[in-house]
């Protein structure tokens, strides 16, 4: 790693803490030029040798990714005691944004006696469109994110950005096995829940579909399972338990076990009442249990659901 830190000392001023996770603490900061930045500080344990592998992966991948819908890594500071990743500043994550939006809309509804409280269709499609554009770019660069969830999607000045690439992987040939201990439970696809260790970009597609429904429902998750068994039951109750014709290789997965035969939900409009028929069609195609039948990000972007978008509505105004 480059050791130019002596010239960088004092360049970034740490302001208030804005988040804390497993691998580090995030602060709002200010660059010497006056611009706002986000400082992700990772303490280096004396017992560990070098920099944590998750941080190294994130640095290596983000240095190669340049897209308006992917958070930008601006700088890296490395000392004996800590590692600081300097990112472009984003004011809020999607989870908090949805909560604040829903609260403000609900209050407006109460004061004006209107039927607010939910996102309008153009806002839902604009958010999801940006998520898919960032995802499509990452996949074109052979990068699997593997941890898409609202907390890892940032919003700033109407633009949504993919963030937190600590679990991301560069995909290449030959196809290799990966860990199945990835993706937060509520956004993890059935194939990974059943122990699949060989998977492709449609792992991210499933997570994106879950987030699509959550955006449409103003922050209410679609599959809030308690554990793996409960998660699979909630999923199959909605989309139906796959049969051998729908998913021929399901029985070969390492953790496969028979599940009750749940029929597919016929009334999706009750699950996502704000989505149009074309929106529900797109959602169902992103939540196919068989990963080979699931839409990719590129295919989803071509869906007729997005024909309503124009250039001005692809960011939140």
């Amino acid at each position: 790693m480059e050791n130019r830190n002596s010239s960088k000392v004092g360049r970034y001023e740490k302001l208030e803490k804005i988040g804390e996770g497993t691998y580090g603490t995030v602060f709002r900061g200010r660059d010497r030029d006056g611009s706002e930045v986000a400082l992700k500080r990772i303490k280096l344990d004396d017992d560990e040798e070098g920099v944590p592998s998750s941080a190294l992966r994130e640095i290596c991948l983000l240095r190669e990714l340049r897209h308006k819908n992917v958070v930008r890594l601006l700088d890296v500071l490395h000392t004996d005691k800590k590692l600081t990743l300097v990112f472009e500043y984003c004011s809020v994550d999607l989870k908090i944004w949805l909560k604040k939006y829903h609260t403000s809309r609900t209050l407006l509804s109460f004061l004006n006696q209107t039927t607010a409280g939910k996102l309008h269709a153009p806002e839902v499609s604009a958010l999801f469109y940006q998520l898919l554009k960032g995802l499509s770019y990452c996949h074109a660069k052979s990068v699997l994110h593997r941890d898409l969830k609202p907390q890892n999607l940032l919003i700033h000045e109407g633009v949504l950005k993919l963030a937190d690439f600590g679990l991301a992987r560069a995909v290449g040939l030959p196809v290799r096995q990966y860990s199945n201990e990835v993706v937060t439970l509520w956004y993890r696809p059935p194939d990974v829940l059943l122990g699949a260790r060989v998977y492709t970009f449609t792992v991210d597609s499933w997570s994106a579909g879950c987030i699509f429904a959550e955006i449409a429902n103003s922050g209410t998750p679609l599959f809030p399972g308690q554990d793996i068994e409960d998660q699979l039951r909630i999923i199959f109750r909605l989309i139906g338990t796959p049969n051998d014709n729908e998913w021929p290789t399901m029985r070969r997965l390492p953790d496969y076990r028979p599940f009750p035969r749940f029929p597919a939900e016929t009334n999706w409009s009750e699950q996502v009442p704000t989505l149009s028929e074309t929106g529900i069609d797109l959602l169902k195609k992103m939540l196919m249990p068989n990963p080979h039948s699931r839409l990719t990000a590129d295919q989803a972007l071509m869906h007729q659901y997005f024909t309503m978008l124009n250039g001005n509505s692809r960011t939140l105004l």
Side-chain angles (χ1 to χ4, degrees):
M1 187 177 296
E2 299 175 25
N3 190 10
R4 298 180 287 110
N5 297 290
S6 58
S7 63
K8 298 179 182 180
V9 173
R11 173 172 177 175
Y12 304 104
E13 177 187 2
K14 184 180 73 173
L15 303 175
E16 77 270 18
K17 183 169 75 172
I18 56 176
E20 191 160 8
T22 305
Y23 301 107
T25 305
V26 182
F27 298 89
R28 184 171 69 89
R30 184 177 292 112
D31 194 346
R32 188 183 296 149
D33 64 10
S35 61
E36 286 188 298
V37 294
L39 305 171
K40 182 176 181 179
R41 294 197 166 176
I42 303 167
K43 287 186 178 180
L44 305 179
D45 295 334
D46 294 333
D47 297 337
E48 285 193 27
E49 294 184 6
V51 178
S53 58
S54 60
L56 283 174
R57 282 195 298 268
E58 188 166 22
I59 293 167
C60 292
L61 291 173
L62 283 174
R63 278 182 166 170
E64 301 299 320
L65 299 177
R66 290 288 182 269
H67 190 273
K68 68 177 292 186
N69 298 120
V70 177
V71 69
R72 185 159 189 177
L73 177 65
L74 302 174
D75 209 347
V76 178
L77 308 177
H78 184 207
T79 66
D80 292 338
K81 297 295 183 180
K82 64 188 175 185
L83 177 72
T84 302
L85 309 187
V86 184
F87 293 96
E88 62 175 318
Y89 177 73
C90 295
S91 54
V92 69
D93 67 47
L94 178 62
K95 183 177 179 66
I96 295 173
W97 189 90
L98 286 170
K99 184 177 180 180
K100 288 182 176 179
Y101 190 100
H102 178 70
T103 301
S104 63
R105 279 293 182 90
T106 302
L107 178 61
L108 182 65
S109 172
F110 175 76
L111 293 174
N112 297 337
Q113 296 186 347
T114 61
T115 56
K118 295 287 186 182
L119 288 168
H120 297 308
E123 296 164 324
V124 175
S125 56
L127 280 168
F128 191 46
Y129 180 86
Q130 293 183 81
L131 166 54
L132 290 173
K133 287 294 285 185
L135 199 55
S136 172
Y137 172 80
C138 290
H139 291 173
K141 294 288 187 177
S142 299
V143 173
L144 263 173
H145 189 283
R146 303 200 308 172
D147 196 20
L148 289 177
K149 56 185 176 182
Q151 297 93 319
N152 289 344
L153 300 173
L154 306 178
I155 296 177
H156 190 62
E157 297 181 347
V159 179
L160 181 144
K161 297 174 183 287
L162 278 62
D164 202 334
F165 282 73
L167 286 178
R169 286 289 188 281
V171 179
L173 294 174
V175 176
R176 48 179 292 206
Q177 291 192 347
Y178 300 103
S179 170
N180 60 356
E181 296 181 3
V182 293
V183 187
T184 300
L185 184 65
W186 294 357
Y187 309 93
R188 196 180 304 170
D191 45 314
V192 179
L193 288 166
L194 291 172
R197 296 179 64 87
V198 176
Y199 46 78
T200 62
F201 301 117
T202 56
V203 166
D204 289 340
S205 297
W206 176 278
S207 304
C210 295
I211 295 168
F212 180 27
E214 195 163 333
I215 294 170
N217 287 336
S218 296
T220 302
L222 188 63
F223 301 127
Q226 299 297 315
D227 52 39
I228 289 177
E229 193 75 16
D230 187 46
Q231 187 71 20
L232 284 165
R233 285 182 180 276
I234 292 174
I235 290 170
F236 291 155
R237 279 196 182 104
L238 178 60
I239 68 175
T241 307
N243 58 40
D244 290 340
N245 290 329
E246 294 166 330
W247 192 359
T249 59
M250 179 181 178
R251 293 177 182 270
R252 300 182 210 157
L253 292 172
D255 299 331
Y256 170 80
R257 60 273 195 193
F259 272 85
R261 302 300 307 173
F262 295 114
E265 173 66 59
T266 55
N267 196 357
W268 277 77
S269 60
E270 291 184 1
Q271 301 295 327
V272 278
T274 61
L275 278 186
S276 63
E277 287 186 13
T278 55
I280 289 173
D281 181 72
L282 173 58
L283 177 62
K284 289 166 69 175
K285 288 175 178 175
M286 301 217 57
L287 296 180
M288 296 295 288
N290 183 346
H292 300 294
S293 302
R294 216 174 287 153
L295 289 187
T296 64
D298 279 346
Q299 290 169 336
L301 285 167
M302 299 298 293
H303 193 275
Q304 61 179 348
Y305 172 70
F306 291 114
T307 57
M308 63 185 288
L309 282 182
N310 57 48
N312 293 327
S313 62
R314 285 173 177 167
T315 57
L316 302 174
L317 302 179

